[in-house]
Amino acid sequence: MDRCARQALAQAAREGRDCVLVQVERVEGSVPREAGAGMVVTRHSALGTVGGGHLELKSIALARQQLEQGKPGFSVRFPLGPSLGQCCGGVAYIRFDLCPQGKVPAGVPMLVPQPLFHLMLFGAGHVAQALVQVLATLDCAITWIDSREQQFPPQVPEQVSVEFSEHPADEVRHAPPGTFYLIMTHSHALDLQIVEQVMKRGDAGFLGLIGSKTKRVRFERRLADKGFGATQIATMTSPIGAAGITGKAPGVVAIAAAAQLLEVATRRDEEAQSRPITASVRA
């Protein structure tokens, strides 16, 4: 289940409240939410979302009926056409599981959506701290790295893994292929070291460096002097942030950076979906 559903389920468990875990089990075609999205329905509330509209209203009604009757888990196929008043045109399979006192029964599948992206965030200054709070509303995985342990806040969102490292550039080697990188440390020299390590790997999903156009020009020269080619250097995005968003306040920069990450992730997923599936044939 997604972040909102997990939090709602944990709240129901703390309060000992009976509820129904409603999850998007699988989808076909165009639908408002992805597999793994979910919500938690009690007799008086519904937290999270499976897509809104009549699909959600019907799902809440079925969940409350399940609460009243104590029915075991079941799945329902919802064609998202005229009968539901939704024009998506796809099909959503919704699963309903009764959770007495907020506890998920053994054997109930916990459907987890794929993270939007895995981000390695270098630096824990004002912009990074604002960015972590913005991304806390999304299902993404964040590894947050700084050489100054005291810079990290005492509490971070659940999808954030904090790593204190005396040599942050060394942490690049631990990242999975396709990782997104945002570099915003307190030191330009350290920024350059990290950029070098990411470029040497050559498998970043996104490489962003905070700073001005002047900083980019200087980094381009230094990277070229170190033997990096024009194609490698072109993979670095700097300044960062979605086009058209101006302002230098940490919150503004964080929102612009988050929007850019979502743009890149969306484009990556669309390209993956449009890529033809090939099968190997043995002679």
Side-chain angles (χ1 to χ4, degrees), residues 206-238:
F206 175 79
L207 169 56
L209 170 69
I210 198 170
S212 62
K213 293 180 180 178
T214 301
K215 180 179 178 180
R216 180 189 176 91
V217 170
R218 290 175 178 170
F219 268 58
E220 287 177 342
R221 291 172 181 165
R222 292 171 184 173
L223 289 165
D225 290 343
K226 290 175 177 290
F228 291 94
T231 301
Q232 289 174 293
I233 294 172
T235 63
M236 178 181 69
T237 297
S238 183

Side-chain angles (χ1 to χ4, degrees), residues 2 4-5 8 33 38-40 46-50 56:
D2 59 18
C4 288
R33 287 301 307 271
M39 65 179 177
V40 172
L47 300 176
T49 178
V50 293
E56 192 152 303

Side-chain angles (χ1 to χ4, degrees), residues 23 25 62 72-78 92-97 109:
Q23 302 179 87
E25 193 168 31
L62 284 172
F74 62 94
S75 297
V76 177
R77 179 181 183 273
F78 288 99
Y93 294 81
I94 308 296
R95 182 175 177 87
F96 299 80
D97 287 290

Side-chain angles (χ1 to χ4, degrees), residues 7 38 69 116 151 233:
Q7 292 177 346
Q69 299 176 357
L116 293 168
Q151 281 294 116
I233 294 172

Side-chain angles (χ1 to χ4, degrees), residues 1-23 37-42 45-49 99-104 110 158:
M1 76 193 91
D2 59 18
R3 178 190 57 83
C4 288
R6 289 196 303 272
Q7 292 177 346
L9 193 61
Q11 179 179 337
R14 287 193 301 270
E15 297 172 353
R17 192 184 301 274
D18 294 345
C19 63
V20 172
L21 174 60
V22 183
Q23 302 179 87
M39 65 179 177
V40 172
V41 179
T42 69
S45 67
L47 300 176
T49 178
C99 301
Q101 298 183 327
K103 296 179 181 178
V104 181
M110 304 294 279
E158 62 175 341

Side-chain angles (χ1 to χ4, degrees), residues 80-164:
L80 303 181
S83 62
L84 276 182
Q86 294 185 232
C87 56
C88 299
V91 177
Y93 294 81
I94 308 296
R95 182 175 177 87
F96 299 80
D97 287 290
L98 183 63
C99 301
Q101 298 183 327
K103 296 179 181 178
V104 181
V108 170
M110 304 294 279
L111 307 169
V112 181
Q114 287 293 321
L116 293 168
F117 49 80
H118 174 214
L119 171 67
M120 288 195 85
L121 175 60
F122 291 89
H126 296 301
V127 173
Q129 293 194 30
L131 178 63
V132 165
Q133 293 305 312
V134 171
L135 295 178
T137 61
L138 305 179
D139 281 303
C140 59
I142 304 171
T143 303
W144 195 7
I145 303 163
D146 201 295
S147 59
R148 305 162 298 166
E149 191 171 10
Q150 71 280 5
Q151 281 294 116
F152 294 111
Q155 294 185 336
V156 297
E158 62 175 341
Q159 70 268 49
V160 178
S161 173
V162 167
E163 292 188 10
F164 162 68

Side-chain angles (χ1 to χ4, degrees), residues 182 206 237-245 252-253 255-261 263:
L182 273 179
F206 175 79
T237 297
S238 183
I240 60 171
I245 301 177
V252 174
V253 178
I255 291 171
Q260 187 172 46
L261 293 176
E263 286 178 352

